[in-house]
Amino acid sequence: ILKVNAVGKQGRAYIVNEKGKVIAHPDISQVLAQKNFSYIPPVKAFLQNDQTKKLDIYNNDLNEQVIGAGALVPQVGWLVVAEQPASVALKPIYQIFFFTLSLLTIVLIVASLITFVFARRIVSPIELIHQAYERFGQGDLNYKLSIQTNDEIEDLAVGFNQMADKLRISIDNLQKDRAVIAAERNKMAVVLSGISDAVIATDLNQNIVLFNLAAQELTGFNEEEAVGKPIGQVVRLYDQGQ
């Protein structure tokens, strides 16, 4: 009767003969009972002369999940089987897996933070430009964009400010011109109102641009109705019967 010691603190080894019966085991009762381990994968492969399976995960005779392997003793035809609990054998792999998973999680978190920071750096200036666009659309041309990103977005903000300045100057000049024209028109209206004859002025397209009070009394049209219309719709002009 042979007896073998455990492999390490959490493993064991035993020997079976060419029929798969236990001839050496840490538990001597297994040897005395001549237990048949032919259903154990390493022993089964040994009995079937299957050399493909060198290492396997299976449930042993104690219904524990273990990793086991068998080694043949050619001189006597016995098989030495060593087993270790899968949880112990795979612990380094689990540790590497969880370490890798933790490292990947940290990398993803850092990458997400970096992405968020860069996204905010891009989105915030664009949002400011959008707000400026709305302010410009409402006629607030004095609004100034203040973006300092040292890139194309800052150049775009500078371009917006310059465009707003030029547009404001153009509108101011146009309003001044309109005020001058209105003043001249008022002066002309005052002068024409003192003339007893009807005075009608047209542009090159024969559309009425000036219509004094006498013309209103003569034609029956007021100034608002006449200005802008072709003169032929307001008065009939004749030249030798035509």
Side-chain angles (χ1 to χ4, degrees), residues 45-64:
F46 163 66
L47 296 177
Q48 294 176 352
N49 197 25
D50 185 1
Q51 302 297 325
T52 59
K53 290 187 177 181
K54 302 297 183 181
L55 190 65
D56 205 353
I57 299 178
Y58 56 89
N59 291 335
N60 62 9
D61 56 300
L62 300 177
N63 200 28
E64 297 174 341

Side-chain angles (χ1 to χ4, degrees), residues 40-148:
I40 301 296
V43 179
K44 185 177 180 180
F46 163 66
L47 296 177
Q48 294 176 352
N49 197 25
D50 185 1
Q51 302 297 325
T52 59
K53 290 187 177 181
K54 302 297 183 181
L55 190 65
D56 205 353
I57 299 178
Y58 56 89
N59 291 335
N60 62 9
D61 56 300
L62 300 177
N63 200 28
E64 297 174 341
Q65 190 177 47
V66 297
I67 293 180
L72 179 64
V73 182
Q75 293 82 357
V76 293
W78 295 345
L79 181 71
V80 178
V81 180
E83 295 177 346
Q84 191 172 30
S87 59
V88 176
L90 298 177
K91 185 177 180 180
I93 297 177
Y94 290 148
Q95 290 176 340
I96 294 174
F97 171 76
F98 286 114
F99 173 77
T100 304
L101 183 61
S102 301
L103 183 60
L104 180 60
T105 302
I106 294 173
V107 171
L108 289 176
I109 292 175
V110 173
S112 299
L113 291 175
I114 294 175
T115 303
F116 176 77
V117 171
F118 276 97
R120 291 297 300 172
R121 183 178 179 182
I122 296 175
V123 172
S124 295
I126 293 177
E127 181 62 27
L128 291 176
I129 293 175
H130 178 70
Q131 293 177 2
Y133 170 79
E134 291 182 345
R135 296 285 291 272
F136 292 164
Q138 295 171 359
D140 186 6
L141 299 178
N142 292 317
Y143 181 78
K144 296 294 184 181
L145 268 172
S146 178
I147 298 177
Q148 297 178 353

Side-chain angles (χ1 to χ4, degrees), residues 4-32:
V4 294
N5 295 325
V7 178
K9 295 182 179 181
Q10 294 179 313
R12 67 177 185 173
Y14 54 87
I15 302 174
V16 298
N17 61 15
E18 66 279 2
K19 295 181 179 181
K21 292 184 178 181
V22 179
I23 59 176
H25 199 282
D27 184 0
I28 194 64
S29 63
Q30 301 281 1
V31 181
L32 296 175

